[in-house]
Amino acid sequence: MAEAHQAVAFQFTVTPEGIDLQLSHQALTEIYLSGLRSWKKKLIRLKNGVITGVYPASPSSWLFVVIAILATMYMRSDPSMGLIAKIQEHLPVRYQSLSAQCQTVVSAVLFSTLLWFSLIFTMRMCLKQLLSYHRWMFEQRGKMSNTTKVWALVRIFSGRQPLLYSYQGSLPNQPVPAVKDTVKRYLESVRPLTTPDEFERMASLATQFESSLGNRLQWYLKLKALWASNYVSDWWEEYIYLRGRSPIMVNSNYYGMDFLYVTPTPIQAARAGNTLHAFLMYRRKLNREELKPVSTVIPLCAAQCERMFNTTRTPGEETDTVQHWQDSDYVAVYHRGRYFRLRMYSSSRPLSPREIESQLQRILDDPSPPSPGEEKLGALTAGDRIPWAKARKEYFSLGVNKRSLDCIEKAAFFVTLDDDKQGMMGEDPAASLDRYAKSLLHGKCYDRWFDKSFSVVIYKNGKIGLNAEHSWADAPVVAHLWEYVLATDSFQLGYNEEGHCKGEVDASLPRPQRLSWDITPECQEQISQSLAVAQALADDVDFHVFSFRDFGKGMIKKCRISPDAYIQLALQLAYYRDRGMFCLTYEASMTRLFREGRTETVRSCSNESWSMGSYSEYFLIKRTLLRLLRQASEKHQNLYKHAMTGAGIDRHLFCLYVVSKYLGVDSPFLKEVLSEPWHLSTSQTPVQQVELFDMVNHPEYVSCGGGFGPVADDGYGVSYTIMGENMMNFHISCKHSCSQTSSHKYGGQIRQALRDMLQLLCPDQREPSRTDQSQTKKDL
């Protein structure tokens, strides 16, 4: 049978002569090698734990301290000021039988060890204080204060060749802002979006909250900040992500795209072979902590990386949970309605790209049909969470269904071999990019496993993509992985002349294991209902993806303005022209300068951006408008820096609201703040590993970035990526059901706003000609 296990370790039968025991040496060998691989990983984790635990010192520095102390004592000097003698007096009984000289050496070693731990503790405290200093962000270039010059000593304490988690113990906790400061910044952020009467009412509610309930709630937050690693992140994960009962497809999950202009090979199995092997290479580096810590000027928290692989989101009736397993030696594969278990290791070594290609080709060539209910089973992960939780408990808690579901959930990650062709192609490449984005975001609503930490999609023409679940980590963490995979696939692994993966194939590899299911008619009915919910949601998504190549960050920087601020102001201006108003705008900012930090909101719509947009129609008054634009840019940069350094608005108010619910008290101010809709939700996906891509010699090897679904029913979701010096990619989403939004119309407004602002900042730059614009449209 196709669903039978390939081998069992032993079989026995009872005969009149006794028990006939038959051992499978191949199975026993695999068990032994699997255990050996597991123990090797445990030893590596133990070694890395020691190295990370003593960072910024090194384990070898202990020997240096011991030798230094013993050498000083040999010179008849007592560096311990009598402490070694005290230790010697209190040695355990078993050491008192030693000679006096040996007792002295043992006491010296103990003193050296205590001194070594004291030095490590001191260095870590110094490093923590240095990493807590963020004023350097707010200083102008070329005008460094004396305090910041002293702060530069962080390099002295940073150690040599840090492991991925070396800085974790030295990162500061995220501070709790003062209620007064948060309320003040909140009122400032809503001032341009409210009428005078509305603002007066909100100011009254805020003042009342600040003087009464706010201080009581703040006390609990400060207590949590002292006790927990991060006072925000666990509540953010639980209440914003895991307690959501609506579909995570479109509403929460996000995607990443392949190279825009290049497909390294058109052979589906070959592209999958290199891609999956690159994921294994990254996981190996991750497990060994060989990845460099991501940093700006100072290191960022790497805690989110821990749940990257072998992780799934499990549905519950009230709240979901994130489950993570230490290791998994296989991936789950979906193709034409069937599910397979593909082992990625043989004899404790990872399969080569050519071997993975061969195994996946076996799946592609398998003619067996899906069992009843199997084809659209994944729709359960795409629909509402409560029906999925009930169905999982009723139909997948025992027997063959439980074993197969466990296989999917415990897999390293999920793989879909898609029969469609996607990418920028055909007579209308712009429309094909839109279809590509929608396919990665939701697919057919049943051919992705949306609960997995991420699902890799391999299309029939060799294009690839990625869909990621959001609760366990934020997009920059997944983007770091995706950059590595794309670069490794094309520049390190490569393909032969026929387009196949390089290397040889072990012909003795067992075939991929087909998972079996027993889906009852009642369960099939629930699958159909979940699919209907998911399909309606997917059909409502309006997506537009385009690449802007008139200019990029190189030209923007020449105008002495921040590229991110420039784009944010362009989005504000485009929205104003599109809707005739301004709106509450969300820009995601990371807080990974702190331990276990995730994100904070930058409220991009400020008084300054409102003023700039309001006067934008009067471009003849260029001097006034230019001044307003630069003021708005500086304001945005300041807001972004405050968000990064823990002085944001929304996470603090969110946590105060959570505390109020625990205490059973109502706050009209907090209730109204948290009910405000984000009509414009934006996020930049930065390129973090520039060294992996040679955009000068190979400009065609550039990813289009990624995107997400609309947050509000009547709003836009905008993701953008700044690629190199001369290119910016935009992903715009909204809903067809809202007559006031159109992704293509808003995309056109963004293009025009970008050009108009450049003409204002750098009037000497020529306006793109019709030939240029038509060529751009042709290329897209």
Side-chain angles (χ1 to χ4, degrees):
M1 295 175 64
E3 65 273 13
H5 289 285
Q6 298 299 321
V8 291
F10 65 91
Q11 298 177 354
F12 70 91
T13 56
V14 180
T15 66
E17 291 77 20
I19 297 177
D20 180 18
L21 180 65
Q22 299 177 358
L23 295 176
S24 169
H25 293 287
Q26 180 183 359
L28 289 176
T29 301
E30 288 297 324
I31 291 171
Y32 166 74
L33 293 174
S34 177
L36 186 64
R37 173 171 164 264
S38 177
W39 277 104
K40 284 182 178 178
K41 284 191 172 184
K42 289 179 181 178
L43 290 175
I44 290 172
R45 289 192 186 104
L46 178 62
K47 182 196 73 172
N48 290 340
V50 172
I51 295 173
T52 300
V54 302
Y55 192 84
S58 64
S60 60
S61 63
W62 173 83
L63 185 60
F64 174 81
V65 174
V66 171
I67 293 174
I69 295 296
L70 291 175
T72 306
M73 294 181 65
Y74 180 77
M75 300 297 293
R76 300 186 181 280
S77 176
D78 185 6
S80 70
M81 301 175 65
L83 287 176
I84 293 178
K86 289 287 186 182
I87 293 173
Q88 188 172 348
E89 291 176 4
H90 294 84
L91 283 176
V93 175
R94 63 177 179 274
Y95 289 107
Q96 293 178 0
S97 60
L98 299 174
S99 65
Q101 186 176 4
C102 288
Q103 291 183 33
T104 303
V105 171
V106 171
S107 301
V109 170
L110 290 174
F111 170 77
S112 301
T113 303
L114 292 174
L115 178 62
W116 182 62
F117 278 121
S118 299
L119 291 172
I120 290 173
F121 179 78
T122 302
M123 293 180 69
R124 288 173 77 106
M125 288 300 101
C126 290
L127 181 57
K128 190 168 187 175
Q129 290 301 314
L130 289 167
L131 294 177
S132 300
Y133 177 74
H134 300 129
R135 292 306 305 171
W136 57 273
M137 284 190 183
F138 298 88
E139 295 180 354
Q140 296 180 2
R141 289 187 177 182
K143 296 182 179 180
M144 187 182 296
S145 66
N146 291 330
T147 306
T148 301
K149 291 177 182 177
V150 174
W151 169 83
L153 288 171
V154 68
R155 297 181 183 276
I156 298 176
F157 289 92
S158 62
R160 295 181 179 180
Q161 297 179 341
L163 297 177
L164 177 62
Y165 302 121
S166 290
Y167 291 105
Q168 290 301 105
S170 301
L171 289 173
N173 291 2
Q174 186 168 335
V176 182
V179 173
K180 179 180 179 180
D181 294 339
T182 298
V183 168
K184 178 182 178 181
R185 282 193 287 268
Y186 168 77
L187 292 175
E188 183 182 351
S189 72
V190 298
R191 184 67 184 89
L193 304 173
T194 56
T195 65
D197 290 341
E198 291 172 339
F199 181 78
E200 197 65 33
R201 185 180 64 84
M202 282 303 301
S204 176
L205 289 175
T207 302
Q208 183 181 0
F209 170 78
E210 180 187 336
S211 60
S212 56
L213 182 60
N215 291 326
R216 180 185 172 195
L217 302 179
Q218 179 80 346
W219 187 88
Y220 284 94
L221 279 192
K222 288 184 176 180
L223 185 63
K224 185 188 178 185
L226 290 174
W227 175 253
S229 299
N230 191 292
Y231 83 95
V232 178
S233 295
D234 58 338
W235 286 349
W236 185 254
E237 178 178 307
E238 179 179 358
Y239 293 107
I240 298 302
Y241 294 116
L242 298 180
R243 291 217 175 192
R245 303 294 80 197
S246 60
I248 60 175
M249 183 200 77
V250 174
N251 293 325
S252 179
N253 285 30
Y254 54 94
Y255 67 85
M257 280 187 169
D258 193 6
F259 293 123
L260 186 58
Y261 304 112
V262 175
T263 305
T265 177
I267 302 175
Q268 185 178 19
R271 188 74 194 282
N274 266 7
T275 300
L276 268 59
H277 187 78
F279 276 113
L280 292 183
M281 292 173 64
Y282 189 94
R283 187 173 73 162
R284 180 185 178 89
K285 287 179 174 288
L286 181 64
N287 289 339
R288 297 189 172 199
E289 300 184 30
E290 295 173 352
L291 296 170
K292 294 181 180 179
V294 178
S295 63
T296 50
V297 175
I298 57 179
L300 306 181
C301 178
Q304 294 180 49
C305 299
E306 296 173 356
R307 297 186 292 180
M308 186 174 291
F309 295 92
N310 329 316
T311 298
T312 194
R313 174 172 173 164
T314 304
E317 294 189 31
E318 292 186 3
T319 181
D320 294 354
T321 56
V322 176
Q323 289 186 286
H324 172 72
W325 292 268
Q326 284 296 324
D327 192 23
S328 179
D329 64 354
Y330 66 93
V331 296
V333 182
Y334 177 91
H335 177 244
R336 290 184 181 175
R338 294 99 30 99
Y339 290 86
F340 296 84
R341 179 182 187 268
L342 173 61
R343 286 200 62 193
M344 301 296 287
Y345 291 84
S346 175
S347 301
S348 77
R349 67 166 179 85
L351 298 184
S352 69
R354 187 69 181 87
E355 289 172 332
I356 298 174
E357 176 188 352
S358 174
Q359 292 289 76
L360 290 172
Q361 192 61 52
R362 285 177 167 180
I363 293 177
L364 290 169
D365 296 338
D366 188 334
S368 62
S371 60
E374 180 182 12
E375 180 181 9
K376 299 178 180 179
L377 176 63
L380 290 172
T381 68
D384 291 322
R385 304 304 292 174
I386 294 178
W388 171 209
K390 291 180 178 179
R392 188 178 189 276
K393 183 177 180 180
E394 185 172 355
Y395 305 115
F396 298 91
S397 58
L398 296 171
V400 64
N401 286 351
K402 184 181 189 305
R403 290 194 295 272
S404 295
L405 180 61
D406 284 347
C407 184
I408 293 175
E409 294 184 336
K410 294 180 181 180
F413 50 91
F414 192 80
V415 180
T416 294
L417 299 175
D418 203 308
D419 276 343
D420 292 338
K421 295 180 179 180
Q422 295 292 349
M424 193 172 67
M425 58 187 183
E427 297 181 356
D428 191 353
S432 67
L433 272 183
D434 299 345
R435 290 192 296 270
Y436 183 22
K438 281 179 65 67
S439 175
L440 288 175
L441 185 65
H442 54 67
K444 297 182 178 69
C445 301
Y446 57 80
D447 54 352
R448 319 276 189 259
W449 200 266
F450 294 100
D451 285 353
K452 285 299 291 180
S453 55
F454 63 88
S455 299
V456 185
V457 185
I458 317 291
Y459 292 103
K460 192 173 184 179
N461 59 343
K463 275 294 179 186
I464 61 175
L466 179 131
N467 181 287
E469 201 275 317
H470 208 326
S471 66
W472 64 274
D474 300 308
V477 176
V478 177
H480 191 276
L481 163 68
W482 192 235
E483 288 172 8
Y484 177 90
V485 169
L486 289 179
T488 302
D489 167 32
S490 297
F491 303 128
Q492 185 173 339
L493 299 176
Y495 302 87
N496 61 24
E497 294 179 355
E498 290 79 24
H500 292 282
C501 297
K502 299 176 182 178
E504 303 298 327
V505 179
D506 181 358
S508 66
L509 290 175
R511 295 180 65 85
Q513 175 190 340
R514 172 80 183 274
L515 301 185
S516 56
W517 306 91
D518 181 16
I519 310 298
T520 64
E522 293 80 10
C523 183
Q524 293 181 38
E525 176 62 26
Q526 182 56 63
I527 292 172
S528 298
Q529 292 176 12
S530 294
L531 179 59
V533 172
Q535 194 65 60
L537 179 61
D539 291 343
D540 196 23
V541 175
D542 176 20
F543 233 104
H544 181 43
V545 180
F546 69 92
S547 185
F548 184 84
R549 293 180 295 169
D550 291 13
F551 56 88
K553 73 175 182 180
M555 181 61 67
I556 297 172
K557 285 183 175 179
K558 288 181 181 179
C559 299
R560 294 178 290 110
I561 194 170
S562 160
D564 183 70
Y566 185 95
I567 294 174
Q568 283 292 324
L569 293 176
L571 296 178
Q572 294 287 323
L573 178 57
Y575 188 90
Y576 176 73
R577 290 173 170 177
D578 180 52
R579 299 288 297 273
M581 65 174 71
F582 292 93
C583 69
L584 195 61
T585 304
Y586 183 115
E587 181 188 7
S589 165
M590 63 89 180
T591 55
R592 291 168 64 198
L593 296 175
F594 306 101
R595 188 186 304 180
E596 297 183 16
R598 293 203 56 164
T599 62
E600 178 58 275
T601 304
V602 180
R603 293 180 168 236
S604 301
C605 184
S606 62
N607 283 313
E608 288 77 5
S609 63
W610 179 88
S611 299
M612 186 273 295
S614 298
Y615 285 96
S616 62
E617 301 305 322
Y618 305 99
F619 265 85
L620 294 177
I621 317 175
K622 290 188 175 181
R623 179 174 296 182
T624 300
L625 194 54
L626 180 59
R627 175 177 57 81
L628 292 173
L629 194 155
R630 292 199 178 278
Q631 286 178 353
S633 171
E634 292 173 4
K635 178 65 175 182
H636 178 269
Q637 287 180 272
N638 196 49
L639 290 171
Y640 201 96
K641 291 171 183 176
H642 274 94
M644 285 182 64
T645 55
I649 301 169
D650 290 275
R651 299 302 178 269
H652 186 203
L653 293 176
F654 161 75
C655 288
L656 291 171
Y657 180 76
V658 173
V659 174
S660 73
K661 288 301 178 182
Y662 279 131
L663 296 179
V665 295
D666 287 329
S667 168
F669 172 70
L670 291 176
K671 185 176 181 180
E672 187 156 345
V673 168
L674 269 73
S675 65
E676 295 170 342
W678 300 98
H679 292 293
L680 185 56
S681 182
T682 71
S683 178
Q684 180 190 171
T685 305
V687 179
Q688 302 170 72
Q689 303 169 87
V690 182
E691 69 278 3
L692 296 181
F693 303 93
D694 186 354
M695 295 186 183
V696 176
N697 297 319
H698 300 285
E700 69 278 12
Y701 285 91
V702 57
S703 170
C704 197
F708 54 88
V711 175
D713 291 339
D714 57 348
Y716 292 105
V718 181
S719 175
Y720 54 95
T721 306
I722 302 174
M723 305 298 302
E725 298 294 310
N726 303 299
M727 185 179 189
M728 297 179 286
N729 297 324
F730 291 84
H731 300 246
I732 306 170
S733 64
C734 61
K735 292 191 175 182
H736 290 296
S737 56
C738 178
S739 60
Q740 297 176 312
T741 58
S742 167
S743 63
H744 288 75
K745 181 182 176 183
Y746 186 51
Q749 294 287 11
I750 292 174
R751 291 185 186 91
Q752 191 58 47
L754 291 168
R755 294 175 185 136
D756 289 345
M757 288 170 57
L758 182 69
Q759 284 295 305
L760 180 65
L761 289 166
C762 305
D764 294 336
Q765 297 299 318
R766 68 182 182 87
E767 189 76 29
S769 64
R770 292 183 179 180
T771 304
D772 295 335
Q773 295 182 26
S774 63
Q775 182 64 38
T776 300
K777 293 178 181 179
K778 181 179 178 181
D779 292 338
L780 289 177

